[in-house]
Amino acid sequence: MAAFDPEKEIPHHIAIIMDGNGRWAKDRGKPRREGHRAGAVSVETALETCGEIGVQYLTLYAFSSENWKRPKSEVNALMGLLAHFLKEKTPTLMKNNIRLQVIGQIDRLPEKNRLGLQKTIEKTADNDGLTLVVALSYGSREEIVGATRTLMEKAKRGEIDPADLDTETFSRYLDTAGMPDPDLLIRTSGEYRISNFLLWQISYSEIVITRTFWPDFRRQHLLDAIGEYQSRQRRFGGI
Ligand code: IPE
Ligand code: IPE
Ligand code: MG
């Protein structure tokens, strides 16, 4: 694996499928929620590292549309951790000039989480360092259907001509409107799948899968993944 080189191109946008919390806990004979709790430390580390090397967007897959299928106790533990993170870490986000944004069906979240998110998003809105995008109750298919529905309604009202629809216009109706596409997609825990994450946006992302479980994912793992990215030749269909 090629070593990280701060002189080479730094990905503008890194997206991470933070996976393996449950298996990390199981290996230690602990309940799954302990894995999620330990994973919060990795989030902090990733934020610090991205801020330090000049990444502009970090998108973290924290909870998928399909994760609602998990036992209520686990869902509650995850929502509790989110509320705790927002409460504890908003001052750190302010101090480090980090702006918070969210993608996903936020209206499905408990009120406490919605309010907490709204507060931190508003508070950090003018920060112009790293943008942290948290994917919550996020599913890419749902996002694409939502965008399509909005566009169809507009067309029905005569506000948009279907003949004018192109990929750029369509992108503006996704939750990620205005964000650059991820340059680098990382999935931890050695699973080789996308799990309904950013299907549209990762068309040309470089993909790095690491075997490390998310709670063990540290600065060096992230730098190694970026080093791997820097060694790739992106062609975007050209030669
Ligand atoms: C990722 O870890 C966190 C979420 C999906 C919320 P998992 O909870 O999926 O951990 P594993 O995959 O079962 O090990
Ligand atoms: C993907 O992980 C979702 C998040 C990391 C939030 P999952 O653990 O839910 O994915 P599958 O079920 O293994 O595909
Ligand atoms: Mg998993």
Side-chain angles (χ1 to χ4, degrees):
M1 193 180 263
F4 168 70
D5 182 348
E7 301 299 320
K8 284 193 184 157
E9 189 216 316
I10 304 294
H12 292 282
H13 184 172
I14 299 178
I16 308 183
I17 303 176
M18 311 184 287
D19 199 14
N21 296 354
R23 279 162 286 165
W24 182 93
K26 190 167 182 244
D27 283 354
R28 286 158 182 77
K30 292 180 177 179
R32 292 178 59 87
R33 72 179 131 75
E34 291 304 321
H36 299 312
R37 203 214 302 253
V41 180
S42 306
V43 170
E44 267 179 73
T45 311
L47 273 172
E48 271 167 30
T49 310
C50 285
E52 180 194 318
I53 64 175
V55 173
Q56 285 158 5
Y57 282 83
L58 174 66
T59 297
L60 299 176
Y61 203 6
F63 193 87
S64 75
S65 315
E66 289 76 20
N67 288 148
W68 290 113
K69 288 191 282 207
R70 294 190 180 197
K72 217 174 172 168
S73 57
E74 182 165 344
V75 171
N76 288 343
L78 283 163
M79 294 304 151
L81 277 170
L82 171 64
H84 182 75
F85 181 88
L86 289 169
K87 207 169 151 216
E88 290 277 296
K89 298 299 166 199
T90 300
T92 315
L93 298 181
M94 291 307 293
K95 195 178 109 217
N96 296 324
N97 196 20
I98 299 170
R99 174 173 65 151
L100 178 71
Q101 297 194 335
V102 284
I103 55 174
Q105 295 178 318
I106 301 308
D107 50 351
R108 291 185 72 185
L109 299 179
E111 194 186 8
K112 183 173 178 197
N113 292 99
R114 286 202 312 269
L115 293 176
L117 284 165
Q118 198 188 345
K119 234 166 130 182
T120 304
I121 289 168
E122 278 168 17
K123 196 152 189 215
T124 62
D126 292 330
N127 291 347
D128 58 5
L130 174 70
T131 298
L132 167 65
V133 183
V134 185
L136 284 164
S137 189
Y138 176 85
S140 192
R141 287 182 168 180
E142 287 77 358
E143 179 191 32
I144 290 169
V145 169
T148 307
R149 185 181 298 117
T150 306
L151 281 159
M152 288 175 86
E153 280 162 358
K154 280 201 149 193
K156 210 162 85 179
R157 291 195 300 266
E159 290 166 18
I160 185 170
D161 182 349
D164 293 336
L165 185 61
D166 55 17
T167 56
E168 215 165 289
T169 310
F170 191 82
S171 295
R172 289 205 294 269
Y173 288 83
L174 296 169
D175 293 0
T176 51
M179 301 174 191
D181 286 340
D183 300 293
L184 169 62
L185 171 71
I186 300 170
R187 183 165 187 152
T188 59
S189 89
E191 303 287 5
Y192 285 73
R193 56 175 171 267
I194 301 298
S195 304
N196 205 10
F197 189 45
L198 301 177
L199 300 177
W200 170 281
Q201 297 87 343
I202 59 167
S203 292
Y204 274 101
S205 304
E206 294 297 324
I207 301 177
V208 173
I209 312 271
T210 82
R211 295 186 63 82
T212 313
F213 291 144
W214 177 250
D216 287 330
F217 195 83
R218 288 288 167 271
R219 177 188 158 82
Q220 195 54 46
H221 299 103
L222 182 56
L223 295 181
D224 286 347
I226 300 172
E228 167 70 28
Y229 168 85
Q230 290 174 328
S231 76
R232 305 262 181 98
Q233 194 202 354
R234 302 182 78 186
R235 284 190 288 275
F236 298 99
I239 52 171

